[in-house]
Amino acid sequence: MSETLIRFEHVTKRFGAHVALDDVSIDVFSGEILVVIGRSGSGKTTMLRCVNALVVPDSGRVFVEGRTVASGDVVASRRRIGYVIQSGGLFPHMTVAQNVSILGRAAGDAAQRRASRVAEVLATVGLETLESRYPSELSGGQRQRVGIARALYMDPPILLLDEPFAAVDPLTRMDLQDEFSRLHHRLGKTMVFVTHDVDEALYLGDRVAVFDAGRLVQTDAPDDLRRKPATEYIARFLQRRRARGDA
Amino acid sequence: MRRVIVAAMLLLAISIVAAGRAHSAAPTVVIASKQDTEGQILAEILAQLIEARTPYRVVRQTNLGGTLLVFAALRSGAVDAYPEYTGTIDATILHRTLTFGAIRAAMQRQYALYVSGELGFNNTYVLAMNAQMARRLHVRTISDLAAHPGLRWGVTPEFLRRSDGLPGLERAYALGAVDAVDIEKSLAYQALARGTIQVTDAYSTDGQLVRYGFATLEDDRHFFPQYRALYLVRDATLLAAPRLRALLRQLKGAIDDRTMRAMNAQVDIAHSSPDRVAAQFLARRFGIRRARAPESTAQLVLRALGRHVELTLVTVFFTVLLGVPLGLLAAQWPRVGHAIMKVVGTLQTVPSIALLALMIPLFGIGVIPAIVALVLYGLLPIVANTRAGLRQTPDELLDAAQGIGLSRAQVLGWVQFPIALPFILAGVRTSAVIAVGTATIAALIGAGGLGDFILAGLTLNDPRTLLLGAIPAALLAIFVDEAIYRIELLLRPRGRAGD
């Protein structure tokens, strides 16, 4: 594969007695979607938050674009990493346009530049003419797309997505997944995508990383994961979820 | 953020100093009194005498709340002269019983104050009872009370605590611990008349005694000290306004017990004003005719209302200026927040009189110390709501704001603060309504406002006067509440409607 954009080296993180990440090492390659999957509390979200320094590891190191995270200007480096959370994490007192362009405002972009960039990214995620709406006036799917548009505003090389489609209904979720897949092929950005939905993981991921109790137990392409689950846990995890999916 | 707070403090300090300067420049004599009728009449007599006989300008502060406040004001130079009693000087100021000559020497030495000659009357404490009940129980003297321990006493807070009040009386007459509650003077008379209480303290020159027909009990063991009236004047004032000395000499021995009681009754019972009664006295005694016509009631109420609005607005302005940054600090640093909330909460529990008394050495009397006190009282709702509002930002929004790369200041200013704004405004609204209410106590240190009418109404036991202050104050509170609520609605972010 191509070059490494994000690298975890023996990263461990504890919250009190709970070990959230246990000696995790992994490379994320430029342009891929790495889907991180596991049960709640397995460490997948903590892993994601190490990338944009919302979590600082107790030991080990995290490199983004060759530099250690949390050294230097954290705020500036976060602006090179798009961040999308469940329900979009939109600011309720701001319009769609204000939400999407907030980093432009932080960067001191002129109003005109902001407006045209907002139109661009909204078109990218398939939303037009919603600029002056407030989040409370949008559907769940629309909010999610606005969240992605906001993450794209600065055109960052990396996107972090934390269960972005968990809060929308199944049909909307499938639409969003399709669109997201197309978007990824078009934009070619490196993405780390956290989910607890096995089907979503297998469908979207170039590779899938499986977490269990803070440990990274297997990282493989979806087909390899299906064919050769590394542990009994993974096999059962895949089976059960797929059985339910087929029913 | 720190800069904002420092700036707010500086602004406050500068405005206080500036206001202080503006006051001290004028060549005026400030005549004060406590809130009692007699003190106000005596203050008016001196004030009008000065106006009639000298070119000095007179400023009146005839509603100050108690010996503590008025004496502190005199020492600080905020007040130039006020009427006082030998007994009070002994008990409250010098803490020993002295002859008149010794009082004069001690006040001169210790406080650089001039003690005028005695005005003539002795307004000492007496105990009053319902006349019928006194007859029925055969109580004629204070000694007779020892046989009736079941009686309920309602006494002024001052009497309850002063060594020359109830504690000393219980000892001198071996009464034991009497069943006493503290009660405001004018309410005590009503309570006594209705029989809710059976004994109260009164002053021998009190006009109300005549009105209710209460029996006064003889002080058969001569426990109560002499309360001979006089004026306390700053030495510095006598230097700056030397003609005062001659006027004070003219008033020496000019008012006997009977005259004083009659003047008090004029105000307390016939609802004349201290100002008019003083004028009549000066006309009778010195043939002085008053130059300026007294203002109409409507004019006075309007002026007081204007002052009240002014006090409220300035208070709210500074409370917000101080409270919002404090709330911000408290929200950002939990440990600092705890300390801030403790202090602000404690401030609210300090009795207003005590807080006002603390203000006098720092800020003198008048509008400035009143506003400082009102600001301190009004802080809690704003600080608490700002803190709570900022802390209730949903976690996922904080997470998103930080995660996408907003700086700490941007997270605060663009996300937390706007979301907290409705809470903060609700705090401002509460604080403003509190300010309207507590601004009535500002009258205690001469800041004026509607509190003047309320205090006067209470002192004179005159509901009409009381309502002249209370009704506009209540209407003002309702108006302020409604006005800020409208502003809240205007500023409420539209996006929160569906949340």
Side-chain angles (χ1 to χ4, degrees):
Chain A
M1 275 227 182
S2 48
E3 59 173 315
T4 295
L5 213 57
I6 302 168
R7 165 170 289 169
F8 279 61
E9 277 183 7
H10 304 290
V11 172
T12 295
K13 177 68 188 180
R14 288 182 194 80
F15 295 108
H18 175 68
V19 183
L21 292 178
D22 186 358
D23 192 27
V24 171
S25 297
I26 188 174
D27 282 6
V28 184
F29 304 114
S30 178
E32 77 167 331
I33 298 189
L34 176 79
V35 176
V36 182
I37 192 165
R39 289 196 280 212
S40 25
S42 61
K44 54 189 194 304
T45 293
T46 306
M47 183 244 169
L48 186 86
R49 291 161 64 86
C50 282
V51 178
N52 61 2
L54 286 174
V55 168
V56 179
D58 296 331
S59 63
R61 287 189 296 178
V62 180
F63 297 93
V64 175
E65 298 183 286
R67 287 184 310 173
T68 40
V69 172
S71 69
D73 189 347
V74 175
V75 168
S77 44
R78 279 181 187 148
R79 290 181 189 170
R80 291 183 53 77
I81 305 173
Y83 185 48
V84 183
I85 63 174
Q86 199 176 27
S87 309
L90 302 183
F91 306 123
H93 58 291
M94 296 183 187
T95 62
V96 166
Q98 287 168 337
N99 263 288
V100 170
S101 63
I102 189 162
L103 288 179
R105 184 176 164 202
D109 287 356
Q112 215 167 11
R113 151 103 189 121
R114 292 212 298 259
S116 68
R117 183 68 188 142
V118 166
E120 266 171 51
V121 289
L122 284 180
T124 309
V125 298
L127 292 176
E128 276 117 356
T129 71
L130 292 182
E131 278 96 332
S132 54
R133 297 273 191 91
Y134 282 87
S136 59
E137 300 163 341
L138 302 178
S139 71
Q142 286 172 327
R143 280 184 223 176
Q144 208 54 68
R145 289 174 214 226
V146 173
I148 294 171
R150 184 173 66 187
L152 292 173
Y153 181 93
M154 299 295 278
D155 199 16
I158 298 169
L159 281 189
L160 306 179
L161 304 106
D162 191 357
E163 307 210 21
F165 306 144
V168 293
D169 64 89
L171 286 177
T172 309
R173 191 184 315 159
M174 286 166 71
D175 287 346
L176 285 169
Q177 287 165 350
D178 284 340
E179 273 175 50
F180 182 76
S181 182
R182 282 197 294 275
L183 192 68
H184 173 243
H185 288 301
R186 189 143 42 95
L187 300 175
K189 293 190 185 301
T190 307
M191 302 189 185
V192 181
F193 189 114
V194 168
T195 182
H196 60 258
D197 179 339
V198 176
D199 296 318
E200 187 168 77
L202 299 176
Y203 179 63
L204 289 178
D206 292 322
R207 288 189 303 148
V208 177
V210 185
F211 274 78
D212 179 24
R215 300 191 66 88
L216 176 57
V217 286
Q218 184 171 8
T219 310
D220 259 319
D223 285 344
D224 296 331
L225 199 70
R226 255 190 293 241
R227 270 200 305 273
K228 301 177 292 184
T231 67
E232 192 62 19
Y233 167 76
I234 297 169
R236 266 189 296 129
F237 193 70
L238 291 179
Q239 214 108 55
R240 199 176 57 222
R241 299 304 294 259
R242 290 215 295 145
R244 192 182 298 169
D246 292 343
Chain B
M1 190 184 336
R2 207 162 298 190
R3 236 176 299 162
V4 174
I5 293 165
V6 172
M9 301 271 202
L10 270 180
L11 198 63
L12 190 66
I14 289 169
S15 45
I16 286 163
V17 171
R21 286 277 153 73
H23 275 294
S24 60
T28 54
V29 183
V30 181
I31 306 294
S33 78
K34 302 172 209 174
Q35 291 167 47
D36 58 295
T37 304
E38 188 166 292
Q40 293 184 354
I41 294 172
L42 294 177
E44 271 299 333
I45 287 175
L46 181 58
Q48 290 178 25
L49 191 59
I50 295 171
E51 283 171 337
R53 293 281 164 84
T54 73
Y56 309 141
R57 208 165 75 81
V58 175
V59 171
R60 292 161 172 79
Q61 293 287 5
T62 55
N63 231 338
L64 301 183
T67 306
L68 190 66
L69 287 180
V70 71
F71 190 69
L74 186 71
R75 286 188 64 190
S76 76
V79 159
D80 291 303
Y82 81 93
E84 191 49 281
Y85 303 92
T86 52
T88 309
I89 295 174
D90 282 345
T92 314
I93 300 172
L94 297 174
H95 305 293
R96 61 208 139 125
T97 307
L98 298 170
T99 63
F100 182 73
I103 286 176
R104 202 170 226 182
M107 293 299 277
Q108 184 87 61
R109 202 175 53 245
Q110 286 184 31
Y111 298 110
L113 293 176
Y114 172 73
V115 176
S116 81
E118 294 171 345
L119 303 182
F121 65 91
N122 175 23
N123 179 5
T124 188
Y125 279 119
V126 289
L127 293 184
M129 284 183 74
N130 188 302
Q132 280 176 333
M133 173 175 281
R135 258 200 310 280
R136 204 174 65 238
L137 299 176
H138 304 292
V139 174
R140 210 181 42 79
T141 65
I142 298 177
S143 293
D144 295 338
L145 283 174
H148 302 282
L151 294 177
R152 165 153 279 216
W153 297 40
V155 298
T156 53
E158 215 175 359
F159 188 79
L160 190 65
R161 280 171 203 102
R162 282 165 61 142
S163 57
D164 61 344
L166 190 56
L169 189 76
E170 285 171 336
R171 250 176 284 118
Y173 282 93
L175 295 173
V178 304
D179 174 21
V181 292
D182 62 358
I183 184 167
E184 211 272 326
K185 176 144 240 77
S186 52
L187 299 178
Y189 290 137
Q190 294 175 17
L192 191 61
R194 270 201 308 271
T196 324
I197 57 172
Q198 285 87 46
V199 183
T200 191
D201 62 307
Y203 301 122
S204 48
T205 54
D206 192 339
Q208 297 281 1
L209 292 176
V210 184
R211 176 190 183 186
Y212 285 103
F214 293 142
T216 57
L217 310 186
E218 191 195 326
D219 180 15
D220 50 328
R221 293 192 188 168
H222 304 289
F223 167 73
F224 290 124
Q226 300 267 305
Y227 279 79
R228 301 202 161 271
L230 45 79
Y231 293 101
L232 288 180
V233 190
R234 290 167 57 80
D235 281 349
T237 306
L238 288 181
L239 280 178
R243 291 168 71 176
L244 270 184
R245 206 182 279 270
L247 299 184
L248 292 169
R249 248 197 314 273
Q250 288 180 18
L251 288 172
K252 183 180 171 186
I255 308 168
D256 59 16
D257 278 23
R258 210 172 48 84
T259 310
M260 194 65 238
R261 200 178 304 132
M263 288 198 287
N264 284 336
Q266 273 289 305
V267 175
D268 290 342
I269 297 160
H271 294 306
S272 183
S273 67
D275 158 77
R276 239 171 298 153
V277 171
Q280 286 158 5
F281 169 81
L282 290 173
R284 263 198 325 273
R285 175 94 195 181
F286 301 110
I288 289 171
R289 292 198 45 191
R290 267 187 96 182
R292 93 191 146 86
E295 283 178 289
S296 74
T297 309
Q299 274 175 314
L300 289 172
V301 172
L302 265 183
R303 203 146 52 85
L305 180 65
R307 169 58 66 84
H308 210 88
V309 170
E310 210 172 79
L311 282 172
T312 306
L313 285 179
V314 176
T315 298
V316 170
F317 176 77
F318 281 108
T319 316
V320 171
L321 207 63
L322 204 63
V324 172
L326 279 176
L328 257 159
L329 276 177
Q332 293 289 294
W333 291 286
R335 210 169 309 162
V336 179
H338 266 299
I340 290 175
M341 294 309 295
K342 274 252 166 64
V343 171
V344 171
T346 308
L347 279 173
Q348 204 106 76
T349 67
V350 177
S352 47
I353 287 276
L355 190 63
L356 292 174
L358 286 175
M359 293 296 138
I360 289 178
L362 298 170
F363 307 111
I365 58 169
V367 173
I368 303 296
I371 285 173
V372 174
L374 291 175
V375 167
L376 293 179
Y377 270 123
L379 277 177
L380 184 62
I382 294 184
V383 175
N385 276 33
T386 303
R387 177 177 182 240
L390 290 175
R391 296 212 314 187
Q392 56 91 51
T393 319
D395 283 342
E396 77 263 18
L397 291 187
L398 281 181
D399 187 69
Q402 269 187 327
I404 64 174
L406 294 185
S407 69
R408 195 168 178 182
Q410 286 161 350
V411 172
L412 190 64
W414 295 356
V415 178
Q416 287 184 278
F417 196 79
I419 291 176
L421 198 58
F423 284 77
I424 297 174
L425 281 173
V428 171
R429 187 150 58 99
T430 311
S431 179
V433 172
I434 291 177
V436 174
T438 45
T440 54
I441 65 160
L444 287 174
I445 45 172
L450 294 166
D452 272 345
F453 288 93
I454 296 174
L455 289 179
L458 279 174
T459 308
L460 309 180
N461 197 14
D462 173 9
R464 201 185 72 100
T465 304
L466 193 146
L467 290 178
L468 280 177
I471 290 173
L475 292 177
L476 184 62
I478 293 170
F479 174 79
V480 164
D481 186 61
E482 186 63 26
I484 300 181
Y485 181 64
R486 292 280 163 86
I487 296 174
E488 260 176 79
L489 290 185
L490 280 180
L491 290 184
R492 186 162 291 171
R494 193 152 65 86
R496 288 199 66 80
D499 282 25

